[in-house]
Amino acid sequence: MAVKQLLKLKFFNETFSFDKFFDSLVEGISPPIKIEEYDTAVGGSDTAIESILQFPEAPKFRPLFEGARKEVGDLCLKIDVVLDKLRMDFVAYENKHKESFEELQEGVEDLTENFDRLDSRVASVSETAAEIGDQLKNADFQKKTANETINLVRFMMYFNETSGYVGEEPSLFFDDDRVAEAAAVAQKLRAIAEDSISGVHGVPAHTALNGNGGLEVAAKNLQAYCNELENRLLGKFDAASQKGDLWTMRNCAIILNQFNKGGSVMQRYIASRPMFMDLEVMSKDAHAILGTEEGIAQVDDLMNSLASVYKEIAACVESLFKSYLEDYAEFELTSLNQLHKAKTLELKSCPLADISQSRRNSILHPFSPVSPQRRNSAMHSYAPISVSVVEEFVEWNEEAVTRCKLLTLKEPPGILATNMKAIFTCLLDQVSQYVTEGLERAIEALKEAAALRERFMFNSNTNRKVVSAMAVAAEAASSAGESSFRAFMAAIQSATTNMTMLQRFFNASVSQSLLAQEGAHAACCDAIASAIADAENAALRGLQGSLDTVLAEVERLLAAEQKATDYKLLDESLTPEPTTACSSVITFVTRMAEVTNGALDGLNREAFLIQLGYGLYKSLIQNWKRFAFNPSGGLRLKRDVSEYAAFARRFMTPAVDEKFVLFGMMVNVFIVAPESLPTLMEGMLRDVREEALGLIELRDDYKKAKVANILSSMNT
């Protein structure tokens, strides 16, 4: 039997059995061995076994085995050739795959750059669209104004009867349904004409609108039209009055109010009332009051007598109570201080403070009881600043100012200003103390929340059982921090409203009375400025504490929810989604930014949000430096940075947005192949070279791919 027929190369691709191969070699040559004989031999001696295995046909196997040996050697050589070919094919395929992957990386980089440019372009287009919208709005307003001006000029030319007027008569002045509009336009044209006439007589003649001396004709015609329109409306008003048509009377009165502020319609209405114009009715009224038929003649004498009596009772009251009125201001100030003290006691014992404190005590020390002394000392610290309280203070002071103007003696000069200054200073002290103490209470709440946060802070080295036990307490501390932030922002808003209310009251009710005494007005203005400065200093300290509270919570969320596997994705085919930590942080800071927008405005809001943006950026950088990144993780980090940049673009200034956009460009150092890093560094990251080099060390293949050696070639 030929060995070549028994051994073929393809046999080794399948399941190869040596026993079957040997049986096929010796088949027909070796004698069969029966199972019974073998079992007997096994149970017997070694000599019996040898007698079975030795048979006279053994020499016939030699050439067969020699041929098999040669054939197996040839097959080994063929297998080596096939393996070499497969190895070469594999190397070629690997190189081709590597080139495709590098091309794909370059494509991703180009796509990222295109997306960045598209994003910048969209932002630019949006800004341009907003500017165009504003310009269109302004243009529409200007167009509307121009049309109104054109109509006014056309109407003026019509009433001026100039030769330059062409066109039909304006229907506005002949339409009964547009009487109100016609009256308003006629009054406006009349005012313009009269102003023009008064100006023409005081300037050279060549500045007049026409050769007839300006708009004298228009003024005359407009006066005639207004008189005619007024008479028509008065007639309509009289007719409606006789019919009892209150709706028509109301409409006519509204229009007639444009003529002499409604004096004619008031006179017409009074003239139509019998109680004012009918002598018989007036005589009966006077008789009912005075008890005489000649009461009408005695009315004037009665009024004069009453005026004299009232005057005499007043030049008497002042002389009678002069000794008391000299000390009036002291009594007024005592009363105001007593009211303020009573209100303060009421606020300290209000149920709202007790409820707030009970909630506070429930989270202040979750694992230990709160001492009564600590509970009592903090009992009143949560009474929030109220606008209604300051409104009540102002009402008291406004009543005191009214009494001060009535009861202050006329002599010596300047005593009214002195009393007014004392009364207002009392209000200023009350409001300043109330606002400043309220801000200090809110600041103290921020500090206590910070202390609670520090107590339950943990890091990566903390025992897992301890972390699990502290989780609920840490969440409670986080909730306390957010509540204290909201409470302080509400206090800022109320404090701003209260100080504005105080200034408005000063300008409206006090300021004018202080001008009679030299230095009184300036002294009050200085006192107001000092009170505002005290409140601002407290607000600044609280804003810094609020900023620390927000950033501390951001760091807690990052430490608790940012995992090492977030940026070392194994499945590179997955579309990168924002990490859980990113979503949680953005949700939290969005809430805080919305609270800030409601509490602060103008430059104060801008400055706070800028500091929040810079602090957020710094916290994120410190967080990301704790991890290593593979290319897929770099793409996911880029998605996170894009989400943070969108948040910054919504709430903060372009300076903060620019930092996130720039960092998004630096994230490309995690995405490109190691060989592409020099090109990237010398290209789009040239201006941030040092920062980018620090990030490159976070690549998971930094040592394996010998990235340091690759980067060192840039300097040679």
Side-chain angles (χ1 to χ4, degrees), residues 13-242:
N13 294 336
E14 302 173 356
T15 303
F16 179 76
S17 174
F18 181 81
D19 293 337
K20 292 181 179 180
F21 172 66
F22 182 81
D23 290 342
S24 66
L25 287 176
V26 301
E27 184 178 4
I29 299 177
S30 64
I33 300 176
K34 296 182 179 181
I35 300 300
E36 295 81 3
E37 296 177 353
Y38 181 78
D39 292 339
T40 303
V42 171
S45 63
D46 295 339
T47 306
I49 296 174
E50 292 178 357
S51 65
I52 293 175
L53 295 177
Q54 295 177 357
F55 48 90
E57 292 82 0
K60 298 179 182 179
F61 283 95
R62 183 180 181 84
L64 184 62
F65 281 118
E66 290 178 350
R69 178 182 179 184
K70 182 178 182 299
E71 192 66 28
V72 169
D74 294 340
L75 288 175
C76 288
L77 294 176
K78 292 181 181 180
I79 290 175
D80 289 340
V81 172
V82 172
L83 288 176
D84 291 339
K85 185 177 182 301
L86 290 176
R87 191 177 294 109
M88 294 175 62
D89 292 342
F90 174 76
V91 171
Y93 176 77
E94 185 180 25
N95 292 335
K96 183 179 179 181
H97 177 72
K98 185 176 182 181
E99 293 176 358
S100 300
F101 184 74
E102 291 176 352
E103 292 176 358
L104 181 61
Q105 284 183 322
E106 293 177 358
V108 170
E109 183 178 349
D110 294 339
L111 182 62
T112 302
E113 293 178 359
N114 291 334
F115 273 123
D116 292 338
R117 287 194 296 269
L118 178 61
D119 184 65
S120 301
R121 181 60 179 166
V122 169
S124 177
V125 171
S126 300
E127 183 178 355
T128 304
E131 293 177 356
I132 293 175
D134 293 338
Q135 293 176 2
L136 289 175
K137 184 177 180 180
N138 294 334
D140 182 69
F141 176 77
Q142 293 175 0
K143 179 181 178 182
K144 183 178 179 181
T145 304
N147 289 333
E148 293 178 354
T149 304
I150 291 172
N151 289 332
L152 288 176
V153 172
R154 186 163 60 88
F155 297 153
M156 186 67 76
M157 293 174 66
Y158 169 74
F159 281 103
N160 206 36
E161 297 180 352
T162 61
S163 59
Y165 177 77
V166 292
E168 300 178 354
E169 295 182 345
S171 60
L172 172 65
F173 302 104
F174 304 97
D175 190 347
D176 291 339
D177 295 332
R178 302 172 66 187
V179 174
E181 183 182 357
V185 172
Q187 290 292 337
K188 185 181 295 185
L189 291 173
R190 179 183 170 188
I192 294 173
E194 292 177 351
D195 290 343
S196 176
I197 293 171
S198 61
V200 166
H201 291 306
V203 298
H206 67 274
T207 60
L209 296 180
N210 54 53
N212 295 326
L215 299 176
E216 288 85 352
V217 176
K220 181 178 179 181
N221 291 336
L222 285 168
Q223 182 64 49
Y225 173 79
C226 290
N227 292 339
E228 187 272 336
L229 180 60
E230 185 177 13
N231 291 331
R232 271 198 295 143
L233 290 171
L234 288 173
K236 190 174 182 180
F237 179 86
D238 290 340
S241 177
Q242 293 177 2

Side-chain angles (χ1 to χ4, degrees), residues 276-322:
F276 297 115
M277 304 303 295
D278 193 325
L279 294 178
E280 183 178 356
V281 174
M282 294 174 65
S283 177
K284 291 181 179 179
D285 292 340
H287 177 71
I289 296 172
L290 302 175
T292 174
E293 294 293 341
E294 292 79 14
I296 297 178
Q298 299 179 6
V299 170
D300 293 338
D301 296 338
L302 177 62
M303 296 301 297
N304 293 333
S305 299
L306 285 174
S308 178
V309 170
Y310 287 150
K311 185 176 181 180
E312 185 176 354
I313 291 175
C316 290
V317 170
E318 185 171 346
S319 61
L320 182 62
F321 297 99
K322 183 176 181 179

